[in-house]
Amino acid sequence: MTRVRLRVAWVPLVDAAPLIVAREIGFAAEEGLTLDLMRAPSWSSARDMLTFGAVEAAHMLSPVPVAMSLGLGGTAGQVIAPMILSVNGTSIGVSEALARRMPPEAFGFDDATVAGRALIAAAQGPLRVGVPFPFSMHAELLFFWLTTLGLPAPEALSVRSIPPPLMAEALAAGEIDAFCVGEPWGTLAVERGAGRLLLPSRAIWSFAPEKVLALRRDWVESEPDLTGRLMRALWRAGRWLAQPEAHVAAAELLGRPEWLDLPAEWIDRALTGHMMISPQGDSRRVDGFVQFHDGAATFPWRSQAAWIGARMAGRLGLERSAAVKTAQDVFRSDLYRRHLGPAGALLPGASSKVEGAIRSGTAVPSEGGRLLLAENRFFDGRVFDPDAEN
Amino acid sequence: MEAVRAVSHKRRMNDRLSIVIVEADRDRALALVDALRAAGDHDIHVIGDTSGLARRIADRNPDVVLIDVANPSRDTLEELTLASAPLDRPVAIFAGGSDMALTKAAIEAGVSAYVVDELRPERVAPVLVAAIARFNLFRRLRDELSETRRALEERKVIDRAKGLLMKARGLDEDAAYALLRKTAMDKGRKVSDVAQALVTAADLLS
């Protein structure tokens, strides 16, 4: 059988795993696909490659398609997200200089309030924080976290974009005081002795959609069959990745020279949640550091996109209810239901939920089985009800 | 918005574009400057070092920024699409926004352009066309150069492997090469790979 070649842009990160696994472990081949994974040097180029047809699909920061729908980010274009590729998986790190001014209890790696207050207290002048991209869950979570704890932005918080592979260097050079970045780049900063990890981002929002599969709307409409095949291959890859017994193989695979080209041991930390947080070897255990499958991780909730839209609107001075309305149509739960329901994905009864209101493993009505949703909590206990926005 | 329009209007009255080129390679930057000068009388500024890039570009407030697609610092330019004060928020249009074909050509050639103001695409087009031509030329030169380098490297390795075989097996040069070639064909590998394996093994054993 001749396979159909699909070009997919990806950025070197542990959470590109579903794409790499789909290609290398045979889930793409099962669907008659060959994935040509095109490494993008930056998020903006991955986005532009997709918009202008140099690739059919892209590994993408979840807020990027939302930003595009709101006319932010330079490129006009109709891009949608039919599934989430990963939930959480990033961490906040601080420079050695800043870490020395913080008390040891700030590094418990689980309490965003304690860590955030210590960070604000230790800052001398405006806190300079590096994120990979202005439209990223990293940026949204940072603004949400630190402004909630009383740090005024932009006066006391300067968030700037730095390519992830250069984050450790920027921290070591004193260009930034802290960062929020996806693995393995936080681990790299620790390994290089440039800084310490302070908090996994899941401590700020325990179920933040991190990366999505991004597709062009016109391509989805003209290629429904390929859309379904690609989504099924990635969904099965995520299911494979969620098995604890797959972690060693996955770390080994991702570490290869053609993918991340890093020691498998560093990649294993994110996959298993055994994080090393300081150059001295202090370690912390984080359940669900990055999630690819469990708890309906891949389901694109319209309410997640609504939250992103609401945060962006607040931050950038856009009209809030219009932004929320536009944003939630970007996460296409209808495509998820159509293509992954028949493949066996458990489908929640609703496509929107109150974000932040799930304490732990809650069973919800679903088509075809018992669906347990994972913990979904904001660090300050607030909830986000998308219906209250309209 | 009035202030933005007024600035744009003033710019349009003057035909000179303010262009920033972000390029660490000096020769490549100079070649681009030449190409753009040929495309019109523009005010061109080159930034080689990308630290603090967004701030430096914002300070110059250029009409157009040219940057290699492969440059990871491109993401920092996205900040230019946001700004603290709504009034001086620059409008970033990718390659003039409306001209899809030109934008596609630019991406394929390896150039990305940020038009940091409301400019008409037809004004930016000649600049981009010149930049694309120069990027293509440079890419071709770079490919040819690396091809030549590779061929030279392979020749050196094959010569060393031949020498090793001549010494160890008492062969003449032609016979040594014939043996390398036969082994490569039998194993389904390239002559240069077999030669490399032999050289590596000899280094280990010596």
Side-chain angles (χ1 to χ4, degrees), chain A residues 132-149:
Chain A
F133 203 57
F135 311 107
S136 58
M137 189 51 73
H138 315 64
E140 298 309 337
L141 291 178
L142 268 176
F143 280 115
F144 164 52
W145 175 44
L146 294 176
T147 55
T148 299
L149 290 176

Side-chain angles (χ1 to χ4, degrees), chain A residues 353-374:
Chain A
K353 63 183 186 303
V354 177
E355 297 292 338
I358 299 167
R359 294 295 145 188
S360 69
T362 307
V364 294
S366 83
E367 299 163 27
R370 208 167 95 93
L371 174 59
L372 283 181
L373 296 184

Side-chain angles (χ1 to χ4, degrees), chain A residues 43-44 47-48 160-161, chain B residues 69 74-76 78-79 104:
Chain A
W43 287 111
S44 42
R47 178 198 60 195
D48 295 344
R160 47 190 77 178
S161 302
Chain B
V69 167
R74 215 188 120 189
D75 276 352
T76 66
E78 288 289 317
E79 284 174 22
K104 222 167 158 225

Side-chain angles (χ1 to χ4, degrees), chain B residues 11-205:
Chain B
R11 285 233 183 88
R12 277 181 201 146
M13 299 301 286
N14 178 348
D15 257 356
R16 278 171 72 93
L17 289 179
S18 152
I19 303 170
V20 165
I21 297 169
V22 182
E23 175 59 69
D25 181 307
R26 198 182 131 79
D27 290 342
R28 194 169 155 157
L30 288 177
L32 267 172
V33 170
D34 287 346
L36 298 181
R37 288 254 157 79
D41 176 26
H42 302 304
D43 172 22
I44 302 164
H45 180 77
V46 176
I47 296 179
D49 165 23
T50 54
S51 64
L53 185 62
R55 182 182 41 77
R56 283 157 71 195
I57 288 179
D59 287 349
R60 292 201 77 85
N61 193 22
D63 297 310
V64 181
V65 181
L66 289 175
I67 181 168
D68 193 327
V69 167
N71 191 332
S73 292
R74 215 188 120 189
D75 276 352
T76 66
L77 297 191
E78 288 289 317
E79 284 174 22
L80 297 172
T81 66
L82 306 167
S84 42
L87 275 186
D88 60 25
R89 181 174 138 197
V91 184
I93 311 162
F94 187 80
S98 57
D99 195 339
M100 289 285 281
L102 185 62
T103 305
K104 222 167 158 225
I107 287 183
E108 275 157 17
V111 60
S112 55
Y114 281 80
V115 179
V116 190
D117 213 324
E118 293 179 72
L119 282 180
R120 291 189 306 278
E122 63 268 25
R123 289 197 60 211
V124 184
V127 170
L128 267 183
V129 167
I132 290 167
R134 191 56 68 175
F135 267 74
N136 276 334
L137 179 67
F138 256 84
R139 190 169 54 175
R140 210 163 54 236
L141 284 177
R142 204 174 47 206
D143 290 351
E144 281 168 12
L145 195 64
S146 65
E147 185 61 26
T148 312
R149 271 204 202 109
R150 198 179 53 78
L152 274 174
E153 271 318 301
E154 283 184 1
R155 168 87 10 228
K156 274 202 306 216
V157 171
I158 290 170
D159 283 347
R160 260 200 81 194
K162 275 196 300 194
L164 288 166
L165 284 176
M166 287 160 70
K167 215 169 111 192
R169 308 259 313 244
L171 300 172
D172 66 21
E173 187 170 352
D174 287 349
Y177 187 71
L179 181 59
L180 278 177
R181 215 175 57 162
K182 180 172 182 310
T183 309
M185 279 168 69
D186 290 349
K187 304 264 183 207
R189 295 172 64 190
K190 294 197 315 195
V191 174
S192 57
D193 292 344
V194 173
Q196 184 63 59
L198 185 62
V199 168
T200 307
D203 285 348
L204 284 173
L205 292 172

Side-chain angles (χ1 to χ4, degrees), chain A residues 138-208:
Chain A
H138 315 64
E140 298 309 337
L141 291 178
L142 268 176
F143 280 115
F144 164 52
W145 175 44
L146 294 176
T147 55
T148 299
L149 290 176
L151 192 69
E155 305 88 296
L157 175 61
S158 159
V159 173
R160 47 190 77 178
S161 302
I162 292 173
L166 305 182
M167 209 65 95
E169 212 175 290
L171 196 66
E175 279 176 44
I176 48 175
D177 307 305
F179 61 68
C180 181
V181 76
E183 281 296 299
W185 305 111
T187 287
L188 186 84
V190 172
E191 289 290 334
R192 294 253 166 95
R196 290 187 224 172
L197 296 184
L198 176 66
L199 199 68
S201 57
R202 83 178 298 288
I204 299 170
W205 182 11
S206 58
F207 208 74

